[in-house]
Structure formats: C-alpha cells, structure tokens
Amino acid sequence: MMRIHSIFWALFIMVAIFYLSMYAYIWIASNHILNLFSIEISPASEVKQILTGWQTVKVENQNLLYYARLATWVDFLWILSYTGVLIMVSYAIMQKQRAPFLNNLLRFCFLLAILAGFFDVLENIVLIYDMHQYTPLKNVYSSAIFAWPKWIFVLFILISWLLSLVNNAINSRKLYYYHL
Amino acid sequence: MYIKKPPGPKKFTPRNSGSEKNELIEKLLANRISIVGLESLRNHITAEDLSDIIQRIYDLNEKYILKISAVEGALRTLNTIKNNRRNKRFIKKIQGRFRNPHTPGKENNKVILAEGDSWFNYPIILTDLIDRISMEKDMAVYSVASGGDWLLNMLTAREYIEELSVLHPDVFLISGGGNDLVGTSRLAAVVDPAGGEEFEESEWAKMLIDKAQTQFIPLDREKFLHGVKYLSKDFFALLMFFHLQYAYLIGNLLRSGKFKGIQIITQGYDYPIPSLNTGGIKLINWYIPFIRDFLGHGHWLKTPLLMRGIVHGNQQRNILYAMIYLFNEMMIDTGNLFNKIYPGSVYHIDSRGTVGEEGWADELHPKPAKFMQIAEEFIHCIRRDKQPTFDHTFVVNSKPKQ
C-alpha cells in the first residue's frame, strides 16, 4: 500500500512539475499565459475565440494551441494522480476525525474525488475534440457542464478538510485545557 | 456441478480412554453437560481437547477447519495493509517516548494490543473500533486483528502471544467468535428449523439467562424464547466451546503472571439484522451498496437461514437476538469468573441494542458513527474515567447502575 501511496504522490508531483515548467517556458518564450481554466468554463462561442487566439500566439516553433493540446493529454495522468491524492488525504484526515458527522463527510469525499476525476475525463474529451484540427470554421462545444461540477466537488473536498482540521484543532485545545 | 466432499473428522480417539474428561466432552457435544461438569472441564481443558471438540462440532478434521477459518486472498492483503499502517503509527508513538510513566502527562498513557475480527479491523472505508480508539493521544494501539478471522484461528495462530510478550501491553482487547458462528454459512449448521428444547437441556445457558435477568440489559423474553427454540444442540456446544476458548486464553494470560495489572477487554456484538437488501442508491452513505455488493452481505445470515427453510423475517431476527444475547452473557460470565480471582482484570463492552434498525452498514457491521459510539465506551473503560454499568461490564451509552 505504501508503494501505491508513493506512486500516486510521485505522479502527482511529477505532473505538477511538468505543468509548472511548461507554463514557465510559455511565459518566457511568448509572454503569454496558457489559461486552461478559462476554456474549461467558457460557453462554446468563447471557446472558439480562445482557441483562435491560441492559434495565433507563437511559442518558438509551435503555437499556444499545441501546448494546450499537450497539457490536456497530460491531464489524464494528472486526473489519476489527483484523484488518488484526494482520496488518500481524505482518508488520512478521516482517520483522525472523531466527530461522526465530519468523519462521514470525509468518507463522502472519496466518492466526490472519483466523480471529480470522472467529470474531468469527460471535460478533457470535449476539449480534445475542440482542439483537434481546429479551424475557426469548426463547430466547438463547451466543457463547462463537466468543469463546474468537477470544481465544485474539489472545492467541497477542500472545505471538508479545512472544517475537519479546524474541528480537530479546537478539540485538542479543549482537551489541553481540560487536562490543565 | 461436482462438489468435492470435505474430509470428515478424524476418528475420535479419546486420549484418556474412559476418563471423566472425555465423558464431559461427550456431554458438552450433546448439550447435556451440567454446570459443575462444564466447570470441571474448564479447569482441565487443554489445547488438544479444544481441537477435538471443534472437529466434532464442525464435523470436519482440524486441517480443513483451519483452512476454512484462515483469512486468505485480497482480504488478508487488505488486513495486513491496515495493520501495517496502524502499527507504524504505534511505533512512531513509542519512539516519541510515549511509554514514560515518570513524565508528567504521560503517566496514564496506555499501550494496547488488539486481537480480533472485522469489528477491530474492517479493512476498507469504514472507521472501526480500533480506528477510533487509535485517535486518542494517550493510547497507542498495536493491532494483529484481521477482518474475517475466527476465534479458533486466533487461538491456533497465537499471533497475539508473541506480541504480548514483546509489548507487555497495559490493555489487551479481544473480539472474536462472530465468524466462527456465521463464516462459510456455518449459521445454517447451528439452527434447527423444526424447533426444539435444546435451551431447556442446557443447564448452563439457562443459568446465564437467569443471571442476565438480574442485570442491566433487559431481556425481551418473548423474542428470546421464540428465537432460542430454533437453536440446535450444536449452537449450545459451540457457545460452551467459545466459553472454554476464552477461559483458556484469559486464564493462561492471567495465570502466567507475566502481565501484572493487564486489563483484558472483550466485546460481544449487537443483534444483527439478516438481510439481502443491497441498500439502493445512497448519497452520503454511498459506500453501503458498494460494501454490501462486494463483501458478503446476505451470505452471513440471511442466506444460511433461508437454506434451512427459516424464511420469516421475525423468526430470523429472533434467532439472532437469542444468539447474541447468549453470546454476550457468556462473555460477561467468563469475565466474572476471572474477576473473582484477579479483581479488575477482565471487562466487557456490551453494545446490545446500540446499533438499532438503521445503524448497520451490512449484516454484521455497524456504520462508522455506531462503531465510533461503541469505541467511546472502550475508551472510558481503558481510561477508567467512568464506572462500569454493572460489575465489570460497560453498556454503551449507559450510566452506572446505582
């Protein structure tokens, strides 16, 4: 199990490093930011604008759209790693959470992490379709219908962690004063 | 389909032919042993006798019994993963000078060894009893518990013995017997759909119930009498066998004199509800249909009872009520025997009636909130910050009897 944990964390860190390096490279080479979040949540009309814009931005020998496509393919690895990490961290916090409601909420986060990953896969499929052989005449679709639930689930998980950590901190303080 | 017939029991060859002990074993197996007889047997029982008894109750040879009782495959791997994680945390605590009786604030820290079944190690998703106890900063729990483990297997593998002598724990937690009763559809073998008078024949079981009526947990006589009549002589033999096993384990531990002041804590489950219901679609409790689908729900209780033609829900529940009532009373009685000789050494956590109708994750396991509620009682018992409800028994969510 430790090996699986390590694999997930290693993958998570490696993909994060890859993204940071790629964004830094794009920034240095073109003075542009590859804002994938904007395309995830945009309606179809704006998706077209964004993709057309990316097509015109040159980054060395490629355009920004090439890097957007690359980032979306790598995102499948990212999905795998962050789903694993969200579950592992939720489990670790759950095993320290004495309040039954929060303990159960953290267990619910396992499901939300899987759903977030699932919606992210659907979102990527839409984006890859949109980016594939893109021309301004191509019909594109919005991935917002999958992106919003994904972000809501991730946010819910992070809030659950925060609530749990705050609850634990308050309780250990109470316990400390009780023992005094 | 060709079903390979399991090997039958070795021909029983009494070790001391004609001896009183063998006669008592025969009586125990026939559920015709007196209280005095059981007491005498308990005082002279050996590991070999226990092995002979179980082979004859299960009608299988020892090798085969150990094979079916062993935890194998994915479950074994998951158990090991969970225990490794727990034990790593235990070692970390110990390395932080957890056990340091001369340092203020650490003098009441407890080193705990846990041996048991899935109530102590439910390997995935659920927060079980040991998970909750381990959350306490003043408790370091080393676990050799395995989901699906039989009491018989725990006693044969003797894994806890090695850890006892290494850790010298302040507290030894044990939970076992559930899988011996319901594992591999054994439940079908200890019920009698025709009904009978075996309870009336068991002087010892009647004594347990007589004592119980003067204690704290109310006996629903109607439910009990309805359920108990479907329990066969093999159930009563098995119950006495559990009693002998626990007495053997606890007795050896206390008599050895190596573990002075050790506190032994047992538990005896709650009344489960036989069910085939997979739980439907749930949101917050999303895991319920998942674990019910994959982990044996329906095969422990409901299916074996249906196999024997016990089809009415009420009848099924009353049978389980009688079984668990007797099991808990047996545990309390076993503990009391030792508390007379070694005062304050054995405690029982009684969770009868705690889980309720809606509190079960599957046929045998409470939902995490209920596990946590029961674990709180263990914590009180370990810390000794609450009086037992009566004698040496802590009844979950109760106040001590005045």
Side-chain angles (χ1 to χ4, degrees):
Chain A
M1 196 64 173
M2 278 323 286
R3 220 173 299 151
I4 297 173
H5 279 215
S6 310
I7 290 168
F8 276 120
W9 275 112
L11 191 65
F12 184 78
I13 292 165
M14 279 192 309
V15 179
I17 290 171
F18 169 82
Y19 276 133
L20 287 174
S21 318
M22 193 178 77
Y23 290 140
Y25 170 73
I26 292 167
W27 172 251
I28 292 163
S30 69
N31 216 15
H32 275 83
I33 293 169
L34 178 61
N35 188 355
L36 282 168
F37 180 72
S38 65
I39 198 171
E40 286 176 9
I41 54 163
S42 297
S45 56
E46 277 178 38
V47 168
K48 194 166 248 184
Q49 278 178 16
I50 294 168
L51 290 177
T52 310
W54 284 354
Q55 213 172 20
T56 57
V57 176
K58 288 284 168 205
V59 184
E60 299 277 340
N61 298 328
Q62 300 288 348
N63 58 22
L64 204 50
L65 185 59
Y66 167 83
Y67 287 100
R69 207 180 295 133
L70 179 65
T72 309
W73 279 110
V74 175
D75 198 35
F76 286 107
L77 280 180
W78 178 244
I79 292 169
L80 189 71
S81 66
Y82 81 66
T83 305
V85 166
L86 288 176
I87 292 175
M88 286 179 332
V89 175
S90 300
Y91 183 82
I93 301 176
M94 182 188 89
Q95 292 297 60
K96 288 179 184 159
Q97 183 47 257
R98 300 167 209 204
F101 174 74
L102 287 173
N103 184 280
N104 224 20
L105 199 66
L106 290 160
R107 195 171 292 102
F108 182 52
C109 290
F110 303 173
L111 177 69
L112 292 187
I114 293 166
L115 288 176
F118 176 70
F119 278 101
D120 207 355
V121 168
L122 296 178
E123 175 202 298
N124 280 359
I125 290 169
V126 173
L127 289 178
I128 284 168
Y129 170 82
D130 288 348
M131 290 179 204
H132 182 67
Q133 294 182 339
Y134 174 75
T135 67
L137 297 173
K138 188 181 175 183
N139 242 351
V140 293
Y141 298 94
S142 168
S143 62
I145 192 168
F146 303 124
W148 279 119
K150 175 192 82 177
W151 285 111
I152 290 168
F153 294 158
V154 171
L155 198 68
F156 188 96
I157 294 170
L158 297 178
I159 291 171
S160 303
W161 292 0
L162 193 69
L163 282 176
S164 181
L165 295 174
V166 168
N167 182 271
N168 277 355
I170 292 170
N171 280 336
S172 14
R173 267 191 102 72
K174 267 190 204 161
L175 217 65
Y176 174 77
Y177 287 117
Y178 173 78
H179 284 300
L180 274 181
Chain B
M1 189 173 71
Y2 173 74
I3 298 172
K4 195 176 171 195
K5 191 173 178 284
K10 279 187 290 183
K11 194 166 186 296
F12 183 65
T13 45
R15 278 165 226 290
N16 305 304
S17 207
S19 72
E20 190 195 346
K21 198 204 276 186
N22 288 311
E23 218 171 277
L24 290 173
I25 290 176
E26 290 293 337
K27 283 184 178 170
L28 179 143
L29 292 165
N31 187 30
R32 297 294 183 272
I33 193 168
S34 65
I35 294 172
V36 178
L38 186 63
E39 197 180 310
S40 163
L41 190 56
R42 191 175 60 228
N43 293 336
H44 300 100
I45 202 85
T46 65
E48 287 178 332
D49 298 326
L50 288 171
S51 165
D52 281 337
I53 295 170
I54 195 63
Q55 288 182 60
R56 301 188 65 199
I57 294 175
Y58 283 172
D59 207 19
L60 296 169
N61 76 32
E62 190 182 28
K63 209 172 148 194
Y64 194 75
I65 295 169
L66 291 176
K67 199 177 155 192
I68 59 170
S69 67
V71 182
E72 298 290 353
L75 185 58
R76 186 192 171 116
T77 311
L78 291 169
N79 282 330
T80 309
I81 289 167
K82 194 161 187 179
N83 277 341
N84 285 348
R85 189 179 297 162
R86 285 170 169 176
N87 297 342
K88 210 173 227 180
R89 217 160 43 218
F90 170 86
I91 296 293
K92 218 171 159 186
K93 269 191 177 176
I94 294 293
Q95 286 172 341
R97 301 184 179 214
F98 176 86
R99 202 172 214 181
N100 196 350
H102 306 299
T103 305
K106 291 192 175 180
E107 65 272 27
N108 293 323
N109 283 359
K110 301 284 183 195
V111 170
I112 300 164
L113 175 64
E115 170 65 291
D117 51 24
S118 51
W119 277 50
F120 279 1
N121 184 350
Y122 194 93
I124 53 163
I125 303 174
L126 302 188
T127 300
D128 58 46
L129 295 175
I130 297 300
D131 288 331
R132 175 63 190 88
I133 296 167
S134 304
M135 287 178 200
E136 297 304 306
K137 287 206 170 87
D138 55 347
M139 294 176 196
V141 188
Y142 192 93
S143 166
V144 289
S146 286
D149 212 357
W150 294 31
L151 180 60
L152 175 75
N153 204 41
M154 295 172 208
L155 288 175
T156 317
R158 296 163 66 86
E159 213 180 332
Y160 66 94
I161 303 267
E162 193 189 323
E163 302 307 342
L164 273 170
S165 54
V166 173
L167 302 174
H168 276 256
D170 304 299
V171 183
F172 178 54
L173 307 178
I174 182 149
S175 161
N179 291 305
D180 307 54
L181 263 175
V182 302
T184 61
S185 301
R186 291 302 316 169
L187 184 58
V190 296
V191 291
D192 175 8
E197 297 295 319
E198 286 301 328
F199 173 64
E200 294 302 322
E201 298 294 343
S202 175
E203 206 177 282
W204 177 70
K206 280 195 293 183
M207 176 274 293
L208 290 179
I209 292 301
D210 287 343
K211 268 191 191 173
Q213 289 183 73
T214 64
Q215 304 282 18
F216 194 83
I217 298 279
L219 173 73
D220 186 331
R221 216 171 168 79
E222 199 182 323
K223 254 173 121 171
F224 179 81
L225 290 177
H226 181 226
V228 83
K229 72 177 176 192
Y230 298 107
L231 298 178
S232 70
K233 73 173 173 57
D234 282 346
F235 170 79
F236 292 96
L238 198 56
L239 192 67
M240 286 184 270
F241 177 67
F242 288 149
H243 170 66
L244 294 176
Q245 276 183 310
Y246 270 109
Y248 183 76
L249 184 157
I250 296 169
N252 281 347
L253 215 151
L254 294 175
R255 273 192 295 269
S256 73
K258 287 183 191 169
F259 311 104
K260 287 212 167 69
I262 194 168
Q263 186 187 16
I264 300 167
I265 306 179
T266 61
Q267 73 90 24
Y269 314 103
D270 189 8
Y271 316 115
I273 303 172
S275 160
L276 291 173
N277 180 0
T278 52
I281 296 171
K282 312 255 186 215
L283 189 62
I284 291 282
N285 294 327
W286 61 273
Y287 57 89
I288 289 182
F290 173 77
I291 61 175
R292 286 188 180 186
D293 259 344
F294 293 106
L295 298 176
H297 175 78
H299 293 277
W300 292 304
L301 310 176
K302 188 85 175 180
T303 308
L305 291 172
L306 293 174
M307 272 178 201
R308 296 299 308 273
I310 297 171
V311 295
H312 298 295
N314 232 14
Q315 187 185 13
Q316 293 172 345
R317 290 182 66 160
N318 291 347
I319 290 171
L320 268 306
Y321 176 85
M323 285 171 98
I324 293 298
Y325 203 97
L326 282 165
F327 186 85
N328 273 277
E329 292 304 329
M330 176 278 291
M331 294 301 307
I332 292 168
D333 189 60
T334 309
N336 284 345
L337 291 172
F338 289 99
N339 286 323
K340 282 176 196 157
I341 313 162
Y342 308 95
S345 57
V346 186
Y347 290 84
H348 180 69
I349 306 298
D350 200 324
S351 58
R352 280 177 286 180
T354 305
V355 183
E357 292 284 322
E358 298 300 321
W360 294 93
D362 61 27
E363 272 189 315
L364 297 182
H365 306 100
K367 286 180 186 167
K370 292 292 175 182
F371 262 141
M372 291 169 86
Q373 191 183 342
I374 298 166
E376 303 268 346
E377 215 60 44
F378 275 84
I379 292 166
H380 285 307
C381 181
I382 294 165
R383 281 207 187 113
R384 299 179 194 255
D385 61 2
K386 181 181 165 185
Q387 288 296 311
T389 316
F390 62 89
D391 297 342
H392 294 85
T393 302
F394 285 78
V395 177
V396 178
N397 267 356
S398 68
K399 289 187 179 125
K401 198 176 182 180
Q402 298 302 314

